[in-house]
Amino acid sequence: MVRKRLSVFHFLLASTICGASTLTEEAVARDASSSTKSVKKAAGSPAVKKPAVSRPHAVKASGGGEEIHVAGRAASAQGVTGREPGGGLMRLETRAGTIQSVTRDFIAKQPPSANPVQVLSLTPSAFVTLTEPYGIAGGNLTLRGLPGDHVGWIYNGAPVNDVGDGGFYANQTSDGDNLKSVSLMPGSVDIDTPSISAAAGSAYAELIDPSHRRGGFVDFSYGSYNMHREFVRLESGDIGNTGVRAFASFSNTATDNWRGPGKFTRKHVDFKLIKDFTPESRWTINASYNTNQLQLDMYPTKDQFAEYGKHLDYKSRFDKNDRTNYYKYGLDAFQNLIASAPLSLKLADGLRFDDTPYLWWGSGTIGGVSTVEDGQTYSGNQPVDVDVANGTTVYSPLYFSYHRTGNNAKVTWTKGINTLTFGWWYEWSRTNQSTPVSYINQNDGGPANIYGDYGPNIYRTVNGKKWYLNDHNTFTQVNMLYLGDKVKLLQDKLELQAGVRLAMVNRKVDSYVPNLVQHRGQNVFEPLPQFSASYTFNRHHQLYVRGATNFKMPNNNTMFELYNVDGSMSTAPSDNVKPEYAINEEIGYRYHDDMFVGDISFFNYNFTNRQMTVLSYFGSAPMATTMNVGNQTSRGVDVQLATRPIFGHFRPYISFEYLDATTDTNIHYLGDYLQTKGKRPAQTPHEMGGLGVDWDNGHLFLNLNLKYVGSQYATLVNDEKLHPYITDTLTVGYRFSNVWRLRSPQIQLNFQNLAGSLYRNGVYSMSPFAHATTGVHGTQFAAGSAPTYTLSPPFTVSFSMSTGF
């Protein structure tokens, strides 16, 4: 029976990819320079010899997996091995639970400016949209129908979500040339994952390791819309017998805005140092510094898109008769530093200590503009006396400043069949959010300073104080204890894991302008149990089940109100918003052999206390307010299939997701309830499918990627829809043999949106309803504000030249 089932399975897979052939196991690592090397564990037992084909090994999504070196072609200077399943779109996993990973074989063939969100676009669970073609502005991620701020992102061991609202800004992390891998864990987290924003699951990104060989890498790119990018990485190689090696890199990227006036610029530095004490002990220092200036655009409604296409945008010239509609007021300028220093030590046989201290610092603004009227100058909800003429245009951006530090430490003890883990994550952060008011040149419209809060160009009240419309500090302190146990039975075929995380979060907000309440606080305690089991029948088959609980802290803006220049309130605080809580169950099956790698998982989510911003009465005034809106259920299936090289050099990959999601409650809206029970949540495609085809003979390579995105609603009551579409990218390149001191010099062309279609690719801001509707209790609501949409970047081509040395 087993042989019969295997033959059917082979037939179905072979018919999907049009053929099959048997090759050896994947495995050449980045610095392979000899024909055969030993297996090296980042943390674990001493190095031992492995045959080319072996049992699957467990690879934790956040790092620390095995690095295998076997006979075969050495990796290119970009880290491409030519052997990863699906061209690097799938990785062999054995963890009990879904993991969807991309590796260097795929990442290296994307535009060099690609970011960690962008490279996940073909995975079955991820719905990714870009607003510009190169990834400089990040990207929007939706995971199994949940927005990206519900995904806990870990970068080199450090949490990098916005500690206030959970947002993740992918452009602020690594350069694409330094990105080793990105792993997505829909619906679950590892027990030691430091995140308070992971109701939808978690994601892990990490930098490549420094080379043992001294040298470096350069990459120059040019493309559509005057894009240019310069990148250089210098490698120290092994420094004597110290066990130390390091790299440092710098990139400069700039491009014109494809939709209208303005530019996107980014400068970035990555640094990594590794100190190997023994084969089982290591210390790593990671640091990434980023500064960018991004041009924001206007996002059209459905009707505006039909009328204006891409041309609904800010004006390129300052108009004294329309002073607030100028592109220089739509700027996003930010700078940040992310640093971590993971330490992994073997203390004794079976006893390990892991510790990751980290630091996150950042500051910047999102542009804004206001017009002053006589007698209407306010700070918070109180008038202030400012010497400014009636009708003056002032720059009033949202300013953010972050200081965040923490430490995640754990002890792991293995005795016989048991592995016990105990750890403590602690974090302290301060987030300042303010609205400074600064000068604008009344003749040409340029802001005196895009950050708004620096230098002498800020307005001051008559008593000499800086004029702020809003000014708040949010202090967040996190303590999370976690305890887990893993048991291996039946000759390691059966693995059982159980554990619990205890999250304790203390948050307080201090307001420095007159508010309704100057000081607010919130304490949260969340017990988060999880359980998993996996059974490996033999070297080809694995069955797993997993149950996990996760949560997302309420956004910090629920604890303060925001005011406009005239003292009117723009957003209202909320009373006692509870954390969003998720319960996830999944059952899955994996298959792998010398040719195929496959994974299918069935999942079910139940969410309580879903958080959403909707209109509600604050006193007698309608006001945008974040609140708990009830429950949601999401269930479906994810499928991934990939091959190692077949027909010599082909590595196809296919993915599919079917998602059935429903809102389980009617949502409160302006004194009534909208009829949302049983409706589909906004921004949730019903089905998605991906196809990746990679062909690489070591010199000539081609990579084609297609993603089908099903229809999705843009409103809570499902009265406006975004139609299905297909995205496409194509990479063609040639890798030369080593010449003089140049290692694997390469040329590469990247094409996006080959048909040049202009279409709405995602919902920028959903709305409760677009057309007139009736509430549950009979309230007649007139047509609401229409949802707005992001637009797909047009046909784009970029040319890259790179080489190692």
Side-chain angles (χ1 to χ4, degrees):
M1 288 298 293
V2 172
R3 292 185 177 179
K4 183 177 181 180
R5 286 196 298 269
L6 280 175
S7 65
V8 172
F9 185 83
H10 280 104
F11 174 77
L12 291 174
L13 291 178
S15 65
T16 303
I17 61 174
C18 305
S21 67
T22 302
L23 294 178
T24 61
E25 175 91 5
E26 55 142 353
V28 178
R30 177 176 171 235
D31 293 312
S33 58
S34 60
S35 61
T36 304
K37 295 198 175 180
S38 62
V39 174
K40 174 184 172 185
K41 290 188 178 180
S45 58
V48 294
K49 295 286 183 178
K50 289 281 188 179
V53 180
S54 63
R55 288 187 59 185
H57 56 274
V59 179
K60 183 181 175 182
S62 55
E66 292 178 349
E67 193 175 296
I68 300 182
H69 302 253
V70 297
R73 191 183 81 208
S76 73
Q78 290 89 346
V80 175
T81 68
R83 291 169 177 78
E84 292 288 329
L89 280 164
M90 196 169 179
R91 187 174 68 181
L92 187 62
E93 310 281 3
T94 60
R95 170 189 178 274
T98 302
I99 307 180
Q100 298 164 7
S101 300
V102 296
T103 61
R104 281 302 301 168
D105 270 35
F106 177 76
I107 295 169
K109 294 176 182 176
Q110 305 315 297
S113 57
N115 63 62
V117 163
Q118 188 175 351
V119 301
L120 290 172
S121 60
L122 258 67
T123 59
S125 295
F127 169 40
V128 175
T129 59
L130 298 179
T131 57
E132 48 77 31
Y134 297 111
I136 304 173
N140 301 315
L141 168 69
T142 302
L143 180 62
R144 288 180 176 173
L146 272 293
D149 60 3
H150 288 54
V151 180
W153 276 87
I154 310 300
Y155 177 58
N156 297 316
V160 288
N161 295 81
D162 186 310
V163 71
D165 64 16
F168 172 63
Y169 309 101
N171 58 313
Q172 297 173 4
T173 55
S174 75
D175 268 318
D177 293 289
N178 296 330
L179 189 57
K180 178 180 180 179
S181 64
V182 185
S183 296
L184 195 60
M185 294 168 56
S188 64
V189 300
D190 284 328
I191 196 169
D192 58 352
T193 297
S195 178
I196 58 174
S197 305
S202 53
Y204 305 81
E206 59 180 318
L207 293 171
I208 59 174
D209 287 346
S211 175
H212 291 281
R213 179 184 182 277
R214 186 173 59 188
F217 180 79
V218 293
D219 190 342
F220 301 99
S221 302
Y222 306 89
S224 304
Y225 305 101
N226 294 317
M227 188 278 288
H228 65 87
R229 179 177 183 270
E230 301 82 39
F231 173 89
V232 58
R233 182 176 68 238
L234 299 178
E235 304 266 10
S236 72
D238 289 325
I239 301 175
N241 297 319
T242 64
V244 174
R245 50 196 162 104
F247 77 73
S249 71
F250 171 77
S251 71
N252 174 63
T253 310
T255 181
D256 293 340
N257 182 15
W258 70 273
R259 284 190 53 190
K263 295 179 71 70
F264 295 84
T265 62
R266 178 180 187 262
K267 291 179 172 61
H268 189 86
V269 174
D270 284 328
F271 171 81
K272 187 170 185 177
L273 179 147
I274 292 177
K275 161 62 177 174
D276 289 313
F277 298 103
T278 68
E280 297 86 15
S281 297
R282 166 183 289 191
W283 184 44
T284 305
I285 298 176
N286 308 280
S288 295
Y289 173 78
N290 187 81
T291 179
N292 58 249
Q293 184 173 313
L294 312 176
Q295 179 62 51
L296 304 178
D297 292 298
M298 293 182 177
Y299 296 98
T301 64
K302 178 181 178 181
D303 292 341
Q304 288 171 334
F305 176 70
E307 182 175 357
Y308 300 106
K310 72 173 186 176
H311 299 294
L312 180 75
D313 214 337
Y314 296 105
K315 292 182 178 180
S316 59
R317 296 181 181 274
F318 180 65
D319 184 351
K320 292 185 178 181
N321 297 316
D322 186 12
R323 289 175 175 265
T324 60
N325 185 10
Y326 186 39
Y327 80 96
K328 288 187 178 181
Y329 306 146
L331 296 177
D332 179 347
F334 206 84
Q335 55 185 334
N336 71 288
L337 170 69
I338 307 168
S340 63
L343 174 67
S344 182
L345 293 177
K346 178 181 178 181
L347 302 179
D349 288 342
L351 185 63
R352 299 199 59 82
F353 174 70
D354 293 274
D355 184 58
T356 304
Y358 61 87
L359 168 70
W360 202 106
W361 168 86
S363 67
T365 58
I366 298 175
V369 65
S370 305
T371 300
V372 176
E373 298 181 13
D374 274 344
Q376 296 293 310
T377 53
Y378 279 74
S379 179
N381 61 9
Q382 297 295 316
V384 292
D385 191 357
V386 183
D387 184 14
V388 57
N390 183 49
T392 300
T393 306
V394 296
Y395 193 54
S396 52
L398 292 175
Y399 175 80
F400 302 87
S401 175
Y402 300 88
H403 294 83
R404 180 180 185 182
T405 186
N407 190 78
N408 188 16
K410 67 177 181 181
V411 175
T412 305
W413 179 49
T414 300
K415 182 69 172 178
I417 63 173
N418 276 82
T419 298
L420 187 68
T421 300
F422 173 72
W424 173 36
W425 169 42
Y426 174 80
E427 178 179 282
W428 179 92
S429 67
R430 181 195 66 83
T431 302
N432 176 253
Q433 294 172 251
S434 61
T435 312
V437 185
S438 60
Y439 294 134
I440 282 177
N441 187 312
Q442 302 299 303
N443 294 317
D444 65 17
N449 189 304
I450 59 175
Y451 290 101
D453 199 24
Y454 297 154
N457 298 310
I458 187 171
Y459 283 97
R460 294 180 180 269
T461 63
V462 292
N463 61 8
K465 293 183 178 180
K466 291 182 178 181
W467 181 20
Y468 290 97
L469 306 184
N470 305 281
D471 191 10
H472 308 88
N473 267 346
T474 301
F475 299 94
T476 305
Q477 186 172 229
V478 181
N479 282 278
M480 182 180 288
L481 300 175
Y482 50 91
L483 177 66
D485 188 30
K486 177 172 67 177
V487 180
K488 291 187 175 183
L489 303 169
L490 304 179
Q491 297 179 327
D492 292 349
K493 291 184 176 181
L494 176 64
E495 183 176 284
L496 304 175
Q497 294 191 63
V500 64
R501 297 179 294 149
L502 301 175
M504 295 157 281
V505 185
N506 171 263
R507 176 172 283 171
K508 66 175 183 176
V509 171
D510 294 336
S511 298
Y512 305 112
V513 298
N515 273 22
L516 297 174
V517 179
Q518 296 302 115
H519 307 284
R520 292 184 171 95
Q522 183 180 28
N523 289 296
V524 168
F525 173 72
E526 290 287 356
L528 303 165
Q530 57 181 249
F531 169 80
S532 66
S534 68
Y535 186 77
T536 303
F537 296 90
N538 53 40
R539 62 186 302 269
H540 299 300
H541 304 272
Q542 182 190 16
L543 185 68
Y544 60 85
V545 296
R546 186 175 180 88
T549 55
N550 301 298
F551 83 118
K552 180 186 184 300
M553 273 292 292
N555 292 356
N556 66 326
N557 62 15
T558 64
M559 300 175 65
F560 55 82
E561 63 269 29
L562 293 178
Y563 293 93
N564 298 312
V565 67
D566 61 359
S568 60
M569 189 184 294
S570 58
T571 62
S574 305
D575 291 329
N576 195 30
V577 177
K578 298 177 181 178
E580 186 172 307
Y581 196 81
I583 302 174
N584 166 250
E585 306 96 15
E586 63 181 349
I587 180 171
Y589 167 75
R590 291 192 181 103
Y591 175 85
H592 90 101
D593 59 21
D594 296 339
M595 185 190 311
F596 295 107
V597 179
D599 192 327
I600 181 170
S601 61
F602 298 87
F603 58 87
N604 179 77
Y605 291 87
N606 295 102
F607 299 94
T608 57
N609 298 319
R610 280 283 281 117
Q611 299 169 25
M612 196 174 295
T613 300
V614 295
L615 279 180
S616 183
Y617 284 113
F618 191 79
S620 60
M623 195 70 57
T625 307
T626 299
M627 61 177 64
N628 297 125
V629 297
N631 305 332
Q632 178 178 319
T633 300
S634 301
R635 53 176 59 99
V637 60
D638 282 348
V639 179
Q640 290 189 99
L641 298 171
T643 77
R644 297 182 175 88
I646 61 174
F647 301 129
H649 308 293
F650 277 104
R651 292 180 295 168
Y653 166 88
I654 61 172
S655 67
F656 174 76
E657 177 177 90
Y658 171 80
L659 177 62
D660 180 23
T662 57
T663 302
D664 298 334
T665 51
N666 293 317
I667 294 176
H668 188 269
Y669 185 83
L670 289 180
D672 201 340
Y673 289 85
L674 297 177
Q675 299 186 49
T676 54
K677 185 175 182 178
K679 302 291 187 180
R680 188 168 183 81
Q683 306 175 58
T684 306
H686 205 279
E687 63 280 315
M688 295 189 296
L691 171 66
V693 178
D694 183 86
W695 190 89
D696 190 336
N697 70 357
H699 291 290
L700 183 65
F701 59 88
L702 178 146
N703 186 267
L704 173 67
N705 303 304
L706 303 173
K707 182 70 177 269
Y708 169 82
V709 178
S711 62
Q712 55 186 295
Y713 288 106
T715 64
L716 297 179
V717 300
N718 293 177
D719 63 351
E720 188 166 303
K721 181 184 288 189
L722 187 63
H723 297 296
Y725 61 86
I726 296 176
T727 65
D728 56 73
T729 65
L730 174 67
T731 303
V732 180
Y734 190 84
R735 208 176 287 118
F736 296 90
S737 300
N738 295 349
V739 178
W740 187 52
R741 296 181 180 273
L742 304 182
R743 297 178 53 240
S744 301
Q746 174 181 298
I747 56 174
Q748 178 174 306
L749 282 168
N750 289 95
F751 302 90
Q752 300 174 73
N753 192 353
L754 297 175
S757 303
L758 180 65
Y759 57 92
R760 295 170 294 152
N761 66 346
V763 179
Y764 177 72
S765 64
M766 66 96 179
S767 70
F769 48 89
H771 307 286
T773 190
T774 303
V776 172
H777 299 311
T779 304
Q780 299 294 317
F781 295 110
S785 60
T788 58
Y789 300 91
T790 57
L791 304 183
S792 176
F795 172 75
T796 306
V797 58
S798 61
F799 172 71
S800 303
M801 301 178 294
S802 64
T803 185
F805 60 88

